[in-house]
């Protein structure tokens, strides 16, 4: 692990602590916050009340963590909301508005099958700007670029695109036609096309090519629709002649959703490279910073995603299934073995680009059975020697290839991408 830039892994007593993850992991110009459940830090118990009280507690925990790092809620660039019931969203939004009054970060919302605490109705995690960087970087008062375009659906509770430093974050796009404000007619193919069209319109409005996407997340109501989604997906990627020559696909995760806003069948969000950075960084040629995609035959290779895509000071790792790369099949054993295989795949990928597991800043784990969380955590901790990364766990009703677990990750990349930054 390189020491050119140092991770800052921090906990505060003002939010619930866990011996299985770190509340906040800052690296370079971003800070990654673990999934926060509606637990009161003093009592260690689920707060009393309904979803409004629980949403308020999740956001209060995030706020306490952020303030403990000398930041504020207006530094949040991205927030993910996981609900047990999508019909609770209006109630959550009422609370949400009181925490984000002058500025709205990008946002993704989905209903999930289960959360890792009995009785929890909501969980949230976040990523925030970290303008001062991490040691030995010098502090730099970078400015967020917060932008919307009329060519994609505009939301009253989120911003379409928030750029900070060398990344731009795109809110989850529903299959909504921006002029009518309605879900497009047709099935999952038409809905997938509209989601991707909305993302493309947002990127075009900020003069960023579609192939500058480094990570994409697809949330599907029915995983049986994945082949149809992929058929449309390949008409958008690769987009440019250079990307086609390199057969470039971004890193990707596909997650089953129990419910989506507007009863949609699919939604898609994205993380995009932003080579020119945000003010007062000097504007440079967008390709002055190079996206570095990498695959290794020591982990499963997909025709529709790259295992890891490095850009600037982060590596974005595709969701890994418990597939043994030597045979191309899911390991036909229990949850511990499957979790170990997922993590072994991530380890092989990250070691292939000269990093190690302790460079991880954030892991996202999806479980077919939330009751398996203790078994997965037992395996999880064996892969790290230093401070544990930030982590979010959700329960889902299905995982591709009928797996029991799926894991994606974000890793630090202290050396940056060429030309070195």
């Amino acid at each position: 692990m390189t020491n050119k830039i140092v991770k800052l892994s921090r906990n505060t007593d003002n939010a619930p602590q866990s011996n299985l993850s770190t509340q906040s992991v800052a690296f370079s110009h971003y800070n990654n916050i673990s999934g926060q459940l509606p637990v009161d830090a003093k009592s260690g118990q689920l707060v009393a009340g309904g979803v409004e009280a629980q949403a308020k507690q999740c956001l209060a925990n995030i706020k306490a963590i952020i303030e403990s790092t000398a930041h504020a809620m207006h530094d949040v660039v991205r927030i993910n909301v996981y609900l047990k019931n999508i019909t609770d969203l209006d109630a959550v939004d009422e609370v949400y508005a009181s925490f984000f009054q002058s500025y709205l970060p990008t946002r993704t919302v989905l209903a999930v099958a289960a959360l890792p605490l009995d009785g929890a109705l909501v969980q949230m995690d976040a990523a925030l700007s970290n303008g001062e960087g991490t040691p030995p970087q010098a502090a730099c008062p970078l400015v967020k670029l917060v932008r919307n375009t009329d060519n994609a659906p505009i939301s009253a509770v989120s911003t379409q695109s928030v750029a900070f430093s060398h990344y731009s974050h795109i809110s989850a796009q529903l299959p909504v036609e921006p002029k009518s404000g309605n879900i497009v007619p047709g099935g999952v193919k038409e809905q997938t096309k509209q989601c991707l069209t909305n993302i493309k319109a947002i990127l075009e409005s900020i003069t960023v090519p579609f192939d500058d996407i480094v990570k994409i997340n697809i949330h599907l109501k029915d995983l049986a629709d994945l082949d149809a989604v992929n058929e449309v997906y390949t008409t958008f990627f690769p987009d440019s002649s250079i990307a086609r020559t390199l057969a470039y696909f971004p890193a990707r995760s596909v997650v089953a959703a129990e419910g989506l806003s507007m009863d949609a069948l699919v939604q898609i969000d994205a993380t995009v490279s932003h080579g020119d950075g945000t003010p007062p960084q000097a504007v440079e040629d967008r390709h002055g910073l190079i996206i570095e995609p990498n695959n290794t035959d020591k982990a499963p290779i997909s025709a529709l995603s790259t295992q890891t895509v490095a850009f600037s000071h982060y590596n974005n790792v595709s969701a890994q299934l418990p597939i043994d790369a030597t045979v191309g099949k899911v390991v036909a054993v229990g949850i511990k073995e499957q979790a170990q295989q997922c993590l072994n795949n991530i380890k092989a990928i990250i070691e292939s680009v000269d990093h190690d597991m302790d460079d991880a800043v954030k892991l996202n784990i999806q479980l077919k059975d939330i009751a398996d969380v203790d078994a997965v955590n037992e395996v999880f901790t064996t892969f790290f020697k230093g401070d544990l990364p930030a982590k979010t766990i959700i329960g889902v009703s299905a995982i591709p290839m009928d797996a029991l677990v799926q894991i994606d990750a974000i890793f630090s990349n202290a050396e940056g991408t060429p030309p070195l930054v």
Side-chain angles (χ1 to χ4, degrees):
M1 181 171 65
T2 178
N3 290 316
K4 288 172 67 176
I5 300 174
V6 180
K7 280 194 314 184
L8 288 181
S9 302
R10 292 174 284 191
N11 289 308
T12 173
D13 292 335
N14 294 327
Q17 293 192 24
S18 170
N19 59 1
L20 299 168
S21 65
T22 302
Q23 291 170 350
S24 160
V25 181
F27 183 79
S28 186
H29 289 135
Y30 278 92
N31 199 347
N32 303 270
I33 309 297
S34 284
Q36 294 301 302
L37 288 159
V39 171
D40 177 85
K42 291 182 180 178
S43 69
Q45 301 297 313
L46 185 73
V47 294
V51 71
E52 295 95 339
Q54 291 199 13
K56 183 177 181 180
Q57 188 64 54
C58 290
L59 288 162
N61 290 342
I62 289 173
K63 186 178 181 183
I65 294 167
I66 290 172
E67 290 178 347
S68 75
T69 65
H71 283 263
M73 291 296 277
H74 64 251
D75 289 324
V76 174
V77 295
R78 182 183 202 98
I79 198 157
N80 297 306
V81 180
Y82 304 98
L83 290 168
K84 279 294 299 294
N85 192 331
I86 198 66
T87 60
D88 284 338
L89 182 55
D90 287 344
V92 169
D93 280 345
E94 277 193 43
V95 176
Y96 191 84
S98 68
F99 283 82
F100 297 102
Q101 297 180 6
S102 60
Y103 152 75
L104 294 167
T106 62
R107 192 173 81 161
T108 294
V109 177
L110 64 151
V112 298
L115 294 170
L117 177 64
D118 190 34
L121 302 174
V122 59
Q123 176 178 241
M124 302 184 197
D125 64 22
L128 61 141
S129 60
N130 188 52
E132 66 273 22
T134 50
Q137 288 177 322
C140 180
L142 301 177
V143 178
K144 293 194 303 287
L145 293 180
V146 180
R147 294 173 284 191
N148 287 312
T149 173
D150 291 335
N151 294 327
I154 293 176
S155 168
V157 291
S158 65
T159 301
Q160 291 169 352
S161 165
V162 178
F164 183 77
S165 187
H166 288 129
Y167 278 93
S168 190
H169 304 265
I170 309 299
S171 283
Q173 294 302 300
L174 290 161
V176 172
E177 199 281 320
K179 291 183 180 178
S180 70
N182 297 322
I183 297 280
V184 293
V188 72
K189 286 187 178 180
E190 290 78 11
Q191 291 199 17
T192 302
K193 182 178 179 181
Q194 188 64 52
C195 292
L196 291 166
T197 297
N198 290 343
I199 290 174
K200 192 165 190 177
I202 292 167
L203 295 185
E204 288 175 347
S205 75
I206 59 176
T207 64
V208 173
F210 202 66
D211 283 315
D212 278 3
I213 294 174
V214 295
K215 176 71 193 300
I216 203 157
N217 298 304
I218 300 174
H219 302 122
L220 270 179
K221 279 284 296 295
D222 187 348
L223 280 188
D225 287 336
L226 184 54
D227 287 344
V229 169
N230 285 337
E231 189 177 325
V232 177
Y233 191 79
T234 54
T235 67
F236 282 80
F237 295 101
D239 185 57
S240 66
S241 58
I242 294 174
R244 285 191 291 273
T245 299
L246 298 173
Y248 172 71
F249 283 86
R252 188 174 85 155
S253 296
V254 176
V255 176
E258 291 302 290
L260 296 170
S261 296
M262 300 181 72
D263 202 27
L265 302 176
V266 59
Q267 79 175 2
I268 304 175
D269 65 36
T271 304
V272 185
S273 62
H274 185 60
D276 43 1
T278 51
Q281 287 174 326
V283 175
E284 53 190 281
D285 178 3
R286 179 167 286 109
H287 298 288
L289 289 178
I290 296 171
I291 293 172
E292 289 190 330
N294 189 76
N295 287 313
T296 173
D297 57 12
K298 293 181 180 179
I301 293 176
S302 168
L304 295 172
S305 64
T306 302
Q307 290 170 350
T308 180
V309 180
F311 183 78
S312 186
H313 288 138
Y314 279 92
N315 273 295
N316 303 271
V317 179
S318 286
Q320 293 302 302
L321 291 164
I323 295 172
D324 182 338
T326 61
V327 296
K329 296 181 180 179
V330 168
V331 291
V333 283
I335 184 63
K336 285 188 176 181
E337 292 81 5
Q338 289 203 9
Q340 184 168 31
Q341 187 65 57
C342 291
L343 290 163
N344 278 335
N345 290 343
I346 290 173
K347 186 172 186 280
I349 291 166
I350 213 67
E351 287 180 350
S352 75
V353 292
D354 298 321
H355 282 265
D356 63 42
M357 290 295 282
D358 281 319
D359 286 332
V361 296
K362 177 73 192 294
L363 268 75
N364 299 301
I365 301 175
Q366 298 92 47
L367 291 175
K368 184 83 177 293
D369 185 348
I370 202 68
D372 286 335
V373 65
D374 289 341
V376 170
N377 281 332
E378 188 178 329
V379 175
F380 176 83
T381 55
T382 67
F383 279 79
F384 303 95
K385 297 175 183 177
D387 292 329
L388 292 173
K391 183 172 69 170
T392 297
I393 297 178
I394 58 172
V396 294
S397 58
I399 294 174
M401 298 183 72
D402 202 28
L404 302 176
V405 58
Q406 174 177 254
I407 305 175
D408 64 40
I410 303 170
F411 279 75
S412 60
N413 186 50
E415 67 274 21
T417 51
L420 300 183
V421 291

